[in-house]
């Protein structure tokens, strides 16, 4: 069983290693850790030490901005959606996912054997009924999401619409990462169709 060490212990060992009063081997024996751990903790301490003296700059400001953005997403809600194709033995099925951007939780999903707007609208309405009205809804430029039926549902709830820019794949990394978790095998997708 692996031993876990808290950060105070690691810092203490790393500081002693920096002092140089004892060899790495002696410190490892004294604290009952592997010598490689002493070396690693010393290296991490040295690499991180300069951050103590940094003035707030772009990285700090960017991090603070991202934290504020995450807090806002928690409060106001921002959802994303996309469709993926799942290959079956004799064709495809289409999976639409409604995803909370902050928690990355799948709020609803629907599978259809034909590419149509109805199953996308059904997934959207299910998410809104179960989880409430988000402030922002992000989609790609697919015809299902830009259709009058889909847009009218969003507008009827006063939800702001954000449509992904053309050829901006990084805008859509999150739902694509989630698809692998929803249907890992063809059997899972086939089971969903029969449910």
């Amino acid at each position: 069983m692996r031993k876990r060490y808290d950060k105070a212990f690691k810092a203490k060992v790393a500081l002693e290693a920096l002092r140089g009063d004892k060899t790495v081997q002696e410190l490892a024996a004294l604290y009952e850790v592997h010598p490689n751990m002493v070396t690693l903790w010393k290296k991490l301490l040295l690499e991180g030490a300069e951050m103590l003296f940094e003035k707030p700059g772009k990285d700090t400001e960017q991090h603070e901005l991202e934290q504020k953005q995450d807090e806002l997403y928690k409060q106001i809600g921002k959802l994303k959606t996309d469709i993926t194709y799942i290959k079956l033995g004799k064709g495809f099925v289409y999976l639409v996912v409604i995803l909370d951007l902050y928690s990355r939780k799948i709020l609803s999903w629907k599978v259809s054997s034909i590419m149509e707007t109805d199953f996308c609208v059904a997934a959207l309405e299910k998410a809104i009924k179960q989880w409430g009205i988000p402030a922002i809804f992000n989609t790609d430029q697919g015809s299902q999401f830009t259709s009058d039926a889909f847009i009218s549902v969003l507008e009827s709830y006063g939800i702001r619409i954000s449509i992904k820019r053309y050829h901006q794949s990084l805008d859509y990394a999150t739902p694509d990462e989630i698809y692998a978790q929803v249907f890992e095998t063809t059997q899972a997708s086939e089971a969903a169709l029969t449910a």
Side-chain angles (χ1 to χ4, degrees), residues 87-104:
K87 183 160 177 47
L88 299 177
K90 296 180 180 180
F92 292 92
V93 293
Y94 308 96
L95 168 69
V96 64
V97 172
I98 309 290
L99 176 74
D100 175 62
L101 185 63
Y102 176 76
S103 68
R104 295 185 178 208

Side-chain angles (χ1 to χ4, degrees), residues 18-19 25 40 47 68 73-74 80 95 100-102 112 119 141-142 146 165-166 171-172 183 194:
L18 278 177
R19 273 193 212 108
Q25 296 296 333
L40 174 66
E47 288 174 354
K68 287 179 184 176
Y73 286 161
K74 257 200 279 192
K80 277 191 160 191
L95 168 69
D100 175 62
L101 185 63
Y102 176 76
S112 177
F119 83 113
Q141 296 179 8
T146 57
R165 298 173 301 239
Y166 185 66
D171 286 354
Y172 246 72
F183 288 104
T194 59

Side-chain angles (χ1 to χ4, degrees), residues 21-22 29 32 45 48 50 76 104 112-113 127 135 149 172:
D21 295 337
K22 295 182 175 136
E32 300 178 349
L45 180 63
E50 66 185 48
I76 64 171
R104 295 185 178 208
S112 177
S113 59
Y172 246 72

